[in-house]
């Protein structure tokens, strides 16, 4: 596994998860994570978060907004950034401490969002890592950008990837 650049695609055959410890991480290191936004994603996010704003759920309502159609919840994309950190860089065992986000473009059903993480800084005292976080759509347009602060794992982990829970949606 190349520790300089790591990539994880949803649906790709990756039976194992492996983290990078603080010592293995280098400034400039990158990783990416991609996911295509589905109708079910928006419905599940609304159910879990309680955010049932009609701009996310009602096409007729959303058509009358400046977006001219439904858009994904902003924090859904924030969740993809969290997944990128948890699954790729640094990976399992990471403690997420903070995130600043700037929402630049709407995300829509069918968009494939790729989160690019880049290590900006390491702080030895508390094993802190600062990451640049950039989420772009399939056209290469940035939809969200920011920085994250994490506490990198000190213990190396290579574990079996848990299966995602099975859920059903009743409309």
């Amino acid at each position: 596994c190349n520790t300089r650049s790591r990539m994880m695609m949803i649906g790709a055959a990756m039976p194992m998860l492996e983290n990078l410890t603080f010592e293995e991480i280098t400034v400039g290191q990158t990783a990416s994570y991609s996911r295509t936004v589905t109708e079910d994603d928006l419905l599940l996010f609304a159910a879990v978060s309680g955010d049932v704003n009609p701009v996310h759920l009602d096409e007729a309502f959303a058509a009358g907004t400046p977006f001219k159609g439904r858009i994904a919840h902003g924090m859904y994309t924030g969740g993809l950034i969290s997944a990128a950190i948890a699954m790729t860089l640094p990976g399992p065992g990471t403690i997420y401490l903070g995130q600043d986000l700037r929402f630049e473009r709407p995300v829509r059903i069918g968009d494939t969002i790729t989160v690019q993480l880049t290590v900006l800084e390491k702080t030895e005292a508390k094993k802190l890592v600062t990451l640049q976080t950039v989420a772009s759509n399939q056209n290469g347009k940035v939809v969200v950008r920011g920085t994250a602060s994490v506490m990198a794992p000190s213990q190396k982990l290579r574990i079996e990837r848990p299966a995602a829970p099975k859920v059903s949606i009743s409309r």
Side-chain angles (χ1 to χ4, degrees):
C1 183
N2 178 348
T3 58
R4 269 299 209 198
S5 178
R6 297 169 57 147
M7 183 161 186
M8 208 290 282
M9 300 291 282
I10 293 297
M14 287 192 71
M16 301 300 286
L17 291 176
E18 185 174 351
N19 68 2
L20 294 171
T21 64
F22 181 82
E23 290 73 24
E24 294 174 307
I25 295 169
T26 58
V27 172
Q29 188 168 8
T30 65
S32 63
Y33 177 93
S34 294
R35 183 173 175 98
T36 299
V37 182
T38 68
E39 166 83 11
D40 286 353
D41 290 340
L42 270 59
L43 297 176
L44 288 166
F45 193 90
V48 170
S49 70
D51 181 351
V52 294
N53 183 334
V55 75
H56 306 304
L57 304 176
D58 182 332
E59 188 60 48
F61 175 88
T65 70
F67 301 111
K68 307 289 187 231
R70 289 173 61 196
I71 60 171
H73 302 76
M75 289 313 296
Y76 170 85
T77 306
L80 296 181
I81 293 170
S82 176
I85 291 167
M87 302 299 286
T88 65
L89 180 63
T94 301
I95 305 299
Y96 210 151
L97 299 173
Q99 175 79 52
D100 75 69
L101 299 171
R102 185 174 335 122
F103 300 96
E104 298 190 7
R105 286 184 178 75
V107 172
R108 300 180 186 280
I109 294 169
D111 282 350
T112 298
I113 303 302
T114 299
V115 175
Q116 181 76 27
L117 304 174
T118 304
V119 177
L120 297 176
E121 182 179 13
K122 290 175 60 175
T123 306
E124 181 71 37
K126 294 188 178 181
K127 308 289 188 220
L128 300 179
V129 177
T130 302
L131 300 164
Q132 177 184 42
T133 59
V134 179
S136 302
N137 64 22
Q138 65 280 358
N139 300 316
K141 302 284 187 181
V142 173
V143 296
V144 177
R145 72 172 72 237
T147 56
S149 299
V150 302
M151 187 180 307
S154 56
Q155 179 183 357
K156 184 69 175 175
L157 294 175
R158 183 170 164 77
I159 57 174
E160 189 171 318
R161 180 187 174 110
K166 302 283 184 216
V167 296
S168 62
I169 298 171
S170 177
R171 292 180 171 85

